Amino acid sequence: MHCVKCKGLFSRKHLWRHVKRCLLRKSDSPKPGRTRVQGLFTYATPLPKDVGTGLWKLLSEMNYDDVVPVIKGDRCIMQFGQHLYNRLGSDVSKHDYIRQKLREVGRLLLKAMKVTPLRCMEDFICPPNFLQVVHAVRSLAGYDDRTNTYKIPSLALKVGHSLQKISAMVECQALMEGSALTVERARNFRKIYEARWSELISTAALKALREIKWNAQLLLPFTDDVKHLNLYLLDRQREYIDELSAHPSKKQWSMLAKVTLTQLILFNRRREGEVSKMRLSSFDLRHTADLQGDVAQALSELEKALCRHFSRIEILGKRGRKVPVLLSPSMQKAMELLTEKRTECGVTPH
Protein backbone atom coordinates (compact mmCIF):
# COMPACT_ATOMS: atom_id res chain seq x y z
CA MET A 1 0.00 0.00 0.00
CA HIS A 2 1.37 3.44 -0.87
CA CYS A 3 1.77 6.44 1.44
CA VAL A 4 -0.20 9.41 0.07
CA LYS A 5 2.38 11.81 1.49
CA CYS A 6 5.70 10.52 0.15
CA LYS A 7 4.24 8.07 -2.46
CA GLY A 8 6.39 5.24 -1.10
CA LEU A 9 5.19 1.62 -1.13
CA PHE A 10 5.03 -0.18 2.21
CA SER A 11 3.66 -3.35 3.71
CA ARG A 12 0.02 -2.92 4.72
CA LYS A 13 0.71 -4.22 8.23
CA HIS A 14 3.56 -1.76 8.86
CA LEU A 15 2.19 1.30 7.06
CA TRP A 16 1.12 2.93 10.32
CA ARG A 17 4.71 2.82 11.59
CA HIS A 18 5.93 4.65 8.51
CA VAL A 19 3.25 7.34 8.89
CA LYS A 20 4.60 8.14 12.36
CA ARG A 21 7.98 9.14 10.98
CA CYS A 22 7.08 10.17 7.40
CA LEU A 23 8.98 13.41 6.72
CA LEU A 24 6.21 14.79 4.52
CA ARG A 25 3.41 14.25 7.03
CA LYS A 26 1.90 17.52 8.23
CA SER A 27 1.26 18.23 11.88
CA ASP A 28 -2.51 18.36 11.32
CA SER A 29 -2.62 14.87 9.81
CA PRO A 30 -4.70 12.19 11.61
CA LYS A 31 -3.08 10.27 14.43
CA PRO A 32 -1.57 7.07 13.07
CA GLY A 33 -3.12 3.73 13.89
CA ARG A 34 -2.98 0.24 12.45
CA THR A 35 -6.39 0.20 10.76
CA ARG A 36 -7.20 3.92 10.74
CA VAL A 37 -4.26 4.79 8.48
CA GLN A 38 -5.13 2.09 5.97
CA GLY A 39 -8.70 3.33 5.69
CA LEU A 40 -7.72 6.96 5.26
CA PHE A 41 -5.08 6.16 2.65
CA THR A 42 -7.54 3.99 0.76
CA TYR A 43 -9.90 6.98 0.61
CA ALA A 44 -7.12 8.93 -1.15
CA THR A 45 -7.08 6.41 -4.02
CA PRO A 46 -9.20 7.06 -7.17
CA LEU A 47 -12.94 6.51 -6.86
CA PRO A 48 -14.41 3.32 -8.34
CA LYS A 49 -17.03 3.60 -11.03
CA ASP A 50 -20.57 4.55 -9.93
CA VAL A 51 -19.42 5.33 -6.37
CA GLY A 52 -19.88 8.80 -4.89
CA THR A 53 -17.34 10.65 -2.77
CA GLY A 54 -19.71 10.58 0.22
CA LEU A 55 -19.91 6.79 0.29
CA TRP A 56 -16.18 6.44 -0.37
CA LYS A 57 -15.40 8.70 2.59
CA LEU A 58 -17.85 6.77 4.76
CA LEU A 59 -16.08 3.53 3.87
CA SER A 60 -12.68 5.05 4.68
CA GLU A 61 -13.81 5.56 8.28
CA MET A 62 -14.37 1.83 8.78
CA ASN A 63 -11.79 -0.26 10.61
CA TYR A 64 -9.70 -1.86 7.91
CA ASP A 65 -10.08 -5.60 8.52
CA ASP A 66 -10.78 -8.62 6.31
CA VAL A 67 -14.35 -7.48 5.59
CA VAL A 68 -13.54 -4.06 4.12
CA PRO A 69 -11.62 -5.33 1.02
CA VAL A 70 -14.51 -7.71 0.33
CA ILE A 71 -16.98 -4.81 0.47
CA LYS A 72 -14.91 -2.57 -1.78
CA GLY A 73 -14.13 -5.35 -4.23
CA ASP A 74 -17.70 -6.42 -4.93
CA ARG A 75 -19.77 -4.41 -7.40
CA CYS A 76 -23.17 -5.39 -6.00
CA ILE A 77 -22.24 -4.54 -2.41
CA MET A 78 -20.94 -1.13 -3.48
CA GLN A 79 -24.17 -0.47 -5.39
CA PHE A 80 -26.12 -1.52 -2.29
CA GLY A 81 -24.03 0.90 -0.22
CA GLN A 82 -24.63 3.70 -2.72
CA HIS A 83 -28.36 2.97 -2.57
CA LEU A 84 -28.33 3.26 1.24
CA TYR A 85 -26.23 6.43 1.10
CA ASN A 86 -28.56 8.07 -1.41
CA ARG A 87 -31.49 7.42 0.93
CA LEU A 88 -29.92 8.04 4.34
CA GLY A 89 -26.56 9.72 3.77
CA SER A 90 -27.83 13.24 4.43
CA ASP A 91 -28.36 12.27 8.10
CA VAL A 92 -24.95 11.83 9.74
CA SER A 93 -26.47 9.73 12.51
CA LYS A 94 -27.40 7.08 9.90
CA HIS A 95 -23.80 6.58 8.71
CA ASP A 96 -23.15 3.94 11.35
CA TYR A 97 -26.28 2.11 10.19
CA ILE A 98 -25.01 2.15 6.57
CA ARG A 99 -21.62 0.81 7.64
CA GLN A 100 -23.35 -1.88 9.71
CA LYS A 101 -25.49 -3.08 6.77
CA LEU A 102 -22.45 -3.19 4.48
CA ARG A 103 -20.47 -5.14 7.06
CA GLU A 104 -23.26 -7.69 7.42
CA VAL A 105 -23.32 -8.34 3.67
CA GLY A 106 -19.52 -8.31 3.50
CA ARG A 107 -19.29 -10.86 6.32
CA LEU A 108 -21.83 -13.03 4.49
CA LEU A 109 -19.76 -12.97 1.29
CA LEU A 110 -16.55 -13.66 3.24
CA LYS A 111 -18.18 -16.65 4.95
CA ALA A 112 -19.57 -17.91 1.62
CA MET A 113 -16.07 -17.84 0.11
CA LYS A 114 -14.94 -20.21 2.87
CA VAL A 115 -17.84 -22.69 2.97
CA THR A 116 -19.37 -22.55 -0.53
CA PRO A 117 -18.26 -22.16 -4.17
CA LEU A 118 -19.81 -18.63 -4.27
CA ARG A 119 -17.24 -15.94 -4.99
CA CYS A 120 -19.22 -12.71 -5.53
CA MET A 121 -22.61 -11.29 -4.66
CA GLU A 122 -23.89 -11.83 -8.21
CA ASP A 123 -23.43 -15.57 -7.62
CA PHE A 124 -25.91 -15.26 -4.74
CA ILE A 125 -28.60 -13.87 -7.08
CA CYS A 126 -28.64 -17.04 -9.15
CA PRO A 127 -31.50 -19.56 -8.63
CA PRO A 128 -29.35 -22.75 -8.84
CA ASN A 129 -27.18 -21.38 -5.99
CA PHE A 130 -30.07 -20.74 -3.58
CA LEU A 131 -29.26 -23.65 -1.28
CA GLN A 132 -25.63 -22.53 -1.18
CA VAL A 133 -26.86 -19.09 -0.08
CA VAL A 134 -28.92 -20.72 2.68
CA HIS A 135 -25.86 -22.67 3.81
CA ALA A 136 -23.74 -19.50 3.93
CA VAL A 137 -26.37 -17.61 5.94
CA ARG A 138 -26.74 -20.46 8.40
CA SER A 139 -22.97 -20.70 8.85
CA LEU A 140 -22.73 -16.96 9.44
CA ALA A 141 -25.55 -16.91 12.00
CA GLY A 142 -24.34 -20.02 13.87
CA TYR A 143 -27.09 -22.48 12.97
CA ASP A 144 -27.31 -25.73 14.95
CA ASP A 145 -28.86 -28.63 12.99
CA ARG A 146 -29.66 -30.67 16.10
CA THR A 147 -31.70 -28.01 17.90
CA ASN A 148 -32.80 -25.98 14.83
CA THR A 149 -31.61 -22.78 16.54
CA TYR A 150 -29.33 -19.87 15.70
CA LYS A 151 -26.58 -18.36 17.76
CA ILE A 152 -27.29 -14.92 16.19
CA PRO A 153 -30.87 -15.17 14.84
CA SER A 154 -31.21 -11.44 14.15
CA LEU A 155 -28.24 -11.56 11.77
CA ALA A 156 -29.93 -14.24 9.65
CA LEU A 157 -33.03 -12.06 9.30
CA LYS A 158 -31.05 -8.91 8.50
CA VAL A 159 -28.96 -10.43 5.72
CA GLY A 160 -32.13 -11.92 4.25
CA HIS A 161 -33.66 -8.46 3.86
CA SER A 162 -30.41 -7.17 2.37
CA LEU A 163 -30.34 -10.00 -0.19
CA GLN A 164 -33.84 -9.04 -1.29
CA LYS A 165 -32.77 -5.44 -1.89
CA ILE A 166 -29.60 -6.51 -3.69
CA SER A 167 -31.55 -8.80 -6.01
CA ALA A 168 -33.87 -5.90 -6.91
CA MET A 169 -30.85 -3.68 -7.60
CA VAL A 170 -29.24 -6.36 -9.77
CA GLU A 171 -32.46 -6.60 -11.76
CA CYS A 172 -32.63 -2.81 -12.26
CA GLN A 173 -28.99 -2.66 -13.35
CA ALA A 174 -29.54 -5.54 -15.78
CA LEU A 175 -32.59 -3.81 -17.26
CA MET A 176 -30.52 -0.69 -17.89
CA GLU A 177 -27.73 -2.74 -19.44
CA GLY A 178 -30.16 -4.82 -21.51
CA SER A 179 -29.14 -8.18 -20.00
CA ALA A 180 -32.29 -10.27 -20.21
CA LEU A 181 -30.62 -13.34 -18.69
CA THR A 182 -29.60 -11.49 -15.51
CA VAL A 183 -33.08 -9.96 -15.21
CA GLU A 184 -34.67 -13.40 -15.38
CA ARG A 185 -32.22 -14.78 -12.81
CA ALA A 186 -32.94 -11.98 -10.33
CA ARG A 187 -36.69 -12.38 -10.68
CA ASN A 188 -36.51 -16.15 -10.30
CA PHE A 189 -34.27 -15.74 -7.25
CA ARG A 190 -36.90 -13.57 -5.54
CA LYS A 191 -39.62 -16.08 -6.39
CA ILE A 192 -37.62 -18.84 -4.72
CA TYR A 193 -36.80 -16.51 -1.82
CA GLU A 194 -40.48 -15.75 -1.20
CA ALA A 195 -41.39 -19.44 -1.36
CA ARG A 196 -38.56 -21.06 0.62
CA TRP A 197 -36.76 -18.45 2.78
CA SER A 198 -39.34 -18.54 5.57
CA GLU A 199 -39.17 -22.32 5.70
CA LEU A 200 -35.37 -22.55 5.67
CA ILE A 201 -34.30 -19.43 7.62
CA SER A 202 -36.92 -17.03 8.99
CA THR A 203 -39.16 -19.38 10.99
CA ALA A 204 -36.37 -20.80 13.13
CA ALA A 205 -34.72 -17.38 13.54
CA LEU A 206 -37.95 -15.69 14.69
CA LYS A 207 -38.63 -18.56 17.09
CA ALA A 208 -35.16 -18.16 18.59
CA LEU A 209 -35.67 -14.41 18.97
CA ARG A 210 -38.98 -14.95 20.78
CA GLU A 211 -37.38 -17.44 23.17
CA ILE A 212 -34.49 -15.08 23.91
CA LYS A 213 -36.94 -12.25 24.61
CA TRP A 214 -39.13 -14.47 26.78
CA ASN A 215 -36.22 -15.74 28.87
CA ALA A 216 -34.60 -12.32 29.31
CA GLN A 217 -34.68 -10.98 32.85
CA LEU A 218 -36.59 -7.74 33.37
CA LEU A 219 -34.67 -5.49 35.77
CA LEU A 220 -36.57 -2.59 37.32
CA PRO A 221 -34.86 0.15 39.38
CA PHE A 222 -35.77 0.72 43.02
CA THR A 223 -37.72 3.85 43.87
CA ASP A 224 -34.89 5.12 46.07
CA ASP A 225 -32.40 4.77 43.20
CA VAL A 226 -34.64 6.79 40.88
CA LYS A 227 -35.07 9.42 43.60
CA HIS A 228 -31.30 9.70 44.18
CA LEU A 229 -30.63 9.99 40.47
CA ASN A 230 -33.26 12.72 40.04
CA LEU A 231 -31.92 14.72 43.01
CA TYR A 232 -28.36 14.37 41.73
CA LEU A 233 -29.35 15.68 38.29
CA LEU A 234 -31.21 18.62 39.84
CA ASP A 235 -28.16 19.55 41.93
CA ARG A 236 -25.83 19.32 38.92
CA GLN A 237 -28.29 21.35 36.84
CA ARG A 238 -28.38 24.22 39.35
CA GLU A 239 -24.59 24.14 39.62
CA TYR A 240 -24.03 24.26 35.86
CA ILE A 241 -26.67 26.96 35.37
CA ASP A 242 -24.86 29.20 37.86
CA GLU A 243 -21.44 28.48 36.33
CA LEU A 244 -22.65 29.02 32.75
CA SER A 245 -24.35 32.28 33.71
CA ALA A 246 -21.24 33.60 35.47
CA HIS A 247 -18.47 32.20 33.25
CA PRO A 248 -19.73 31.04 29.82
CA SER A 249 -17.52 28.40 28.19
CA LYS A 250 -17.84 25.40 25.92
CA LYS A 251 -17.20 23.02 28.80
CA GLN A 252 -19.94 24.47 31.01
CA TRP A 253 -22.36 24.62 28.07
CA SER A 254 -21.67 20.98 27.25
CA MET A 255 -22.08 19.79 30.84
CA LEU A 256 -25.43 21.60 31.24
CA ALA A 257 -26.61 20.22 27.88
CA LYS A 258 -25.75 16.64 28.94
CA VAL A 259 -27.57 16.95 32.27
CA THR A 260 -30.65 18.50 30.63
CA LEU A 261 -30.72 15.82 27.94
CA THR A 262 -30.57 13.11 30.62
CA GLN A 263 -33.46 14.72 32.49
CA LEU A 264 -35.58 14.94 29.34
CA ILE A 265 -35.01 11.28 28.48
CA LEU A 266 -35.75 10.03 32.00
CA PHE A 267 -38.77 12.26 32.61
CA ASN A 268 -40.47 11.60 29.27
CA ARG A 269 -39.25 7.98 28.91
CA ARG A 270 -38.45 8.61 25.26
CA ARG A 271 -35.86 7.11 22.94
CA GLU A 272 -32.59 8.92 23.42
CA GLY A 273 -32.22 9.34 19.66
CA GLU A 274 -35.48 11.27 19.38
CA VAL A 275 -34.75 13.71 22.19
CA SER A 276 -31.10 14.24 21.25
CA LYS A 277 -32.14 15.31 17.72
CA MET A 278 -34.50 18.02 18.96
CA ARG A 279 -34.17 21.08 16.75
CA LEU A 280 -33.79 24.60 18.09
CA SER A 281 -36.87 25.62 16.08
CA SER A 282 -38.94 22.99 17.91
CA PHE A 283 -37.97 24.53 21.26
CA ASP A 284 -38.74 28.04 20.03
CA LEU A 285 -42.20 26.90 18.86
CA ARG A 286 -43.09 25.17 22.14
CA HIS A 287 -46.67 25.40 23.33
CA THR A 288 -47.04 28.15 25.93
CA ALA A 289 -50.57 29.40 25.15
CA ASP A 290 -53.46 28.91 27.56
CA LEU A 291 -55.83 26.02 27.12
CA GLN A 292 -58.75 26.49 24.77
CA GLY A 293 -62.21 26.58 26.28
CA ASP A 294 -63.44 23.26 24.90
CA VAL A 295 -60.25 21.47 25.91
CA ALA A 296 -60.25 23.00 29.40
CA GLN A 297 -63.81 21.79 30.08
CA ALA A 298 -62.77 18.18 29.46
CA LEU A 299 -59.90 18.31 31.98
CA SER A 300 -59.92 17.93 35.73
CA GLU A 301 -58.46 20.57 38.05
CA LEU A 302 -55.29 18.52 38.49
CA GLU A 303 -54.86 18.16 34.73
CA LYS A 304 -55.34 21.91 34.27
CA ALA A 305 -52.68 22.61 36.91
CA LEU A 306 -50.26 20.21 35.19
CA CYS A 307 -50.86 21.90 31.82
CA ARG A 308 -50.00 25.27 33.37
CA HIS A 309 -46.90 23.82 35.04
CA PHE A 310 -45.34 21.97 32.07
CA SER A 311 -44.46 23.16 28.59
CA ARG A 312 -44.96 20.86 25.61
CA ILE A 313 -42.66 20.43 22.59
CA GLU A 314 -43.42 18.39 19.49
CA ILE A 315 -40.38 16.71 17.95
CA LEU A 316 -39.86 14.37 15.02
CA GLY A 317 -40.11 10.74 16.06
CA LYS A 318 -39.90 7.36 14.39
CA ARG A 319 -41.41 7.16 10.89
CA GLY A 320 -41.97 10.90 10.79
CA ARG A 321 -44.50 10.95 13.63
CA LYS A 322 -44.95 13.88 15.99
CA VAL A 323 -43.75 13.00 19.48
CA PRO A 324 -44.71 15.19 22.48
CA VAL A 325 -42.04 16.05 25.05
CA LEU A 326 -42.86 17.73 28.37
CA LEU A 327 -40.58 20.30 30.00
CA SER A 328 -40.56 21.13 33.69
CA PRO A 329 -39.80 24.75 34.67
CA SER A 330 -36.21 23.84 35.60
CA MET A 331 -35.63 22.09 32.27
CA GLN A 332 -37.14 25.03 30.40
CA LYS A 333 -34.90 27.46 32.30
CA ALA A 334 -31.81 25.39 31.46
CA MET A 335 -32.72 25.15 27.78
CA GLU A 336 -33.41 28.88 27.57
CA LEU A 337 -29.96 29.55 29.01
CA LEU A 338 -28.38 27.09 26.57
CA THR A 339 -30.10 28.87 23.70
CA GLU A 340 -29.00 32.28 24.96
CA LYS A 341 -25.33 31.32 25.42
CA ARG A 342 -24.85 29.36 22.18
CA THR A 343 -22.99 32.09 20.27
CA GLU A 344 -21.01 33.21 23.30
CA CYS A 345 -19.78 29.64 23.91
CA GLY A 346 -18.85 29.02 20.28
CA VAL A 347 -21.82 26.74 19.49
CA THR A 348 -23.41 26.97 16.04
CA PRO A 349 -26.45 29.28 16.19
CA HIS A 350 -28.70 26.84 14.25
Side-chain angles (χ1 to χ4, degrees), residues 74-233:
D74 190 89
R75 178 189 176 191
C76 292
I77 297 180
M78 293 299 290
Q79 288 178 346
F80 178 54
Q82 190 63 53
H83 164 74
L84 293 175
Y85 189 84
N86 291 339
R87 289 179 54 243
L88 309 171
S90 58
D91 187 354
V92 179
S93 62
K94 299 292 185 181
H95 287 188
D96 285 338
Y97 170 78
I98 297 174
R99 282 189 284 264
Q100 175 189 347
K101 301 305 290 184
L102 291 177
R103 278 195 172 276
E104 290 170 359
V105 181
R107 288 169 56 195
L108 175 62
L109 180 55
L110 191 63
K111 175 63 71 172
M113 291 178 179
K114 296 177 181 179
V115 300
T116 68
L118 307 178
R119 289 296 174 266
C120 65
M121 195 52 63
E122 283 192 6
D123 294 341
F124 280 64
I125 316 302
C126 186
N129 295 334
F130 184 79
L131 293 180
Q132 297 289 351
V133 174
V134 171
H135 178 52
V137 172
R138 285 179 170 179
S139 299
L140 179 67
Y143 179 73
D144 189 348
D145 292 326
R146 295 171 297 176
T147 58
N148 193 29
T149 58
Y150 289 90
K151 187 177 180 181
I152 316 175
S154 59
L155 182 58
L157 297 172
K158 290 177 181 178
V159 295
H161 296 313
S162 297
L163 285 175
Q164 265 190 315
K165 293 180 180 178
I166 291 175
S167 67
M169 293 173 55
V170 169
E171 180 183 350
C172 293
Q173 187 66 27
L175 285 170
M176 290 187 290
E177 295 175 353
S179 178
L181 178 60
T182 306
V183 171
E184 185 180 0
R185 284 180 176 177
R187 289 176 179 172
N188 290 338
F189 173 83
R190 283 204 301 281
K191 290 179 181 178
I192 300 174
Y193 179 96
E194 293 170 0
R196 301 294 306 277
W197 192 262
S198 175
E199 168 198 346
L200 299 173
I201 299 290
S202 300
T203 301
L206 289 171
K207 180 182 177 182
L209 281 176
R210 285 193 294 267
E211 290 180 355
I212 292 173
K213 186 176 181 180
W214 178 262
N215 295 327
Q217 293 183 351
L218 180 62
L219 300 178
L220 297 175
F222 292 110
T223 305
D224 288 341
D225 294 337
V226 177
K227 179 181 177 181
H228 288 317
L229 176 59
N230 187 40
L231 292 175
Y232 172 80
L233 292 174

Side-chain angles (χ1 to χ4, degrees), residues 275-345:
V275 182
S276 62
K277 295 177 184 177
M278 181 190 302
R279 295 182 178 273
L280 184 59
S281 58
S282 300
F283 176 70
D284 294 335
L285 297 174
R286 63 189 180 278
H287 293 264
T288 56
D290 295 334
L291 291 173
Q292 298 178 0
D294 295 340
V295 177
Q297 292 178 3
L299 300 178
S300 65
E301 293 299 324
L302 175 61
E303 291 170 338
K304 293 178 184 178
L306 291 175
C307 290
R308 290 191 295 268
H309 182 73
F310 294 105
S311 299
R312 182 167 64 93
I313 299 177
E314 290 182 345
I315 62 175
L316 184 64
K318 195 173 183 181
R319 297 181 180 176
R321 298 169 181 165
K322 284 187 177 180
V323 176
V325 174
L326 296 179
L327 299 179
S328 66
S330 62
M331 297 177 195
Q332 183 173 340
K333 179 182 177 182
M335 294 181 70
E336 288 174 349
L337 182 62
L338 290 170
T339 305
E340 178 185 346
K341 300 293 184 181
R342 287 175 72 94
T343 306
E344 194 173 350
C345 295

